[in-house]
Amino acid sequence: MWLYIRQLIQLVLSPSRGWEDISAAAQTPAEVQRSGYVPWLAVTAASELVPLWYSPGLTVGAAIESAIAVAGAMFVSVYLARIFLDMTLREHVDGGEVNPVRTGVFVLYTVGLVCLYRVVANLLPAALTLVHFLPLLSVPVIFKAARYVGVKTDSVMAFTGLAAVAVIVLPMCMAGLLLLITH
C-alpha cells in the first residue's frame, strides 16, 4: 500500500514523473487493486469517521453510513469508469486497440486520487471552499497519462475530457448519490 500512496502523491506533485514510475513498476491492475487500491479504499472509508471529533451534530451511525457509502461508490466507480473508457477510447488510442492493463492501472490510480482528496477533506475540521476543488487537480494528471495509456497525439484533449468524466465526475456522483440515499 505504501508504494501506491507514494505514487498517488507523486502523481499530484509531478504527473509526468508519476506516470513514468508507474510504468516502470509494471504492475497489473489486479496487483494494484489488491496491494494498493483496496487498502487505500479502507483508509478512505475510515477517514469518514474523523469528522466525529470536530463535528458535534454528526452521529456514529451517520459516519459509518458515510464510510460504507463512500467505499461502495469508489469501488463500483472503478468498474463503471473502466467500462466507460473501454467503450469510448478505441478511436483515441494508437492502433485502435485499448491496452486493458494500462487502462485498468490508470483508472485505479486516478480514482485513488479522488479518494485522496476525500481523505484530505475529512481531515480538515473547517469547511474550506478550496477543498471542493481538489478533484480538479486530477485534470493535469489525466492529461499527462495520455502517453501512458497510448492516446494519439491529436486526441489528448478528447481523452482528457472522457477520462475526467469517467474517473472524477462518475465517482463523485456515485458517492453523492449514495450519501444522499443513506442520509
Side-chain angles (χ1 to χ4, degrees):
M1 178 172 89
W2 297 114
L3 173 65
Y4 183 80
I5 293 171
R6 187 182 59 154
Q7 289 175 332
L8 280 178
I9 293 169
Q10 188 175 18
L11 283 172
V12 172
L13 298 176
S14 174
S16 295
R17 184 76 177 138
W19 287 116
E20 289 171 7
D21 288 352
I22 290 168
S23 181
Q27 292 182 301
T28 66
E31 292 169 334
V32 172
Q33 188 168 10
R34 182 179 57 253
S35 65
Y37 181 74
V38 170
W40 181 240
L41 193 57
V43 170
T44 304
S47 79
E48 294 292 321
L49 302 175
V50 172
L52 285 170
W53 281 284
Y54 60 79
S55 184
L58 186 64
T59 65
V60 173
I64 291 172
E65 286 176 355
S66 292
I68 293 169
V70 167
M74 295 302 158
F75 187 78
V76 170
S77 293
V78 166
Y79 296 101
L80 293 177
R82 183 68 191 277
I83 290 168
F84 180 79
L85 289 176
D86 284 345
M87 290 181 350
T88 58
L89 281 186
R90 288 194 197 287
E91 63 191 48
H92 301 292
V93 294
D94 288 326
E97 196 61 40
V98 176
N99 183 332
V101 171
R102 290 196 173 227
T103 304
V105 170
F106 165 76
V107 168
L108 288 165
Y109 275 98
T110 49
V111 175
L113 284 175
V114 175
C115 293
L116 175 66
Y117 306 140
R118 185 87 188 177
V119 169
V120 169
N122 286 331
L123 293 177
L124 295 175
L128 299 173
T129 304
L130 179 64
V131 172
H132 299 293
F133 292 102
L134 283 176
L136 293 177
L137 290 175
S138 295
V139 175
V141 175
I142 293 167
F143 181 79
K144 292 295 184 177
R147 182 181 300 152
Y148 174 77
V149 177
V151 174
K152 295 185 276 190
T153 54
D154 62 339
S155 295
V156 172
M157 294 310 288
F159 163 76
T160 303
L162 289 170
V165 168
V167 299
I168 299 172
V169 175
L170 182 65
M172 291 176 66
C173 287
M174 289 288 297
L177 179 65
L178 287 178
L179 288 171
L180 184 65
I181 292 171
T182 60
H183 293 127

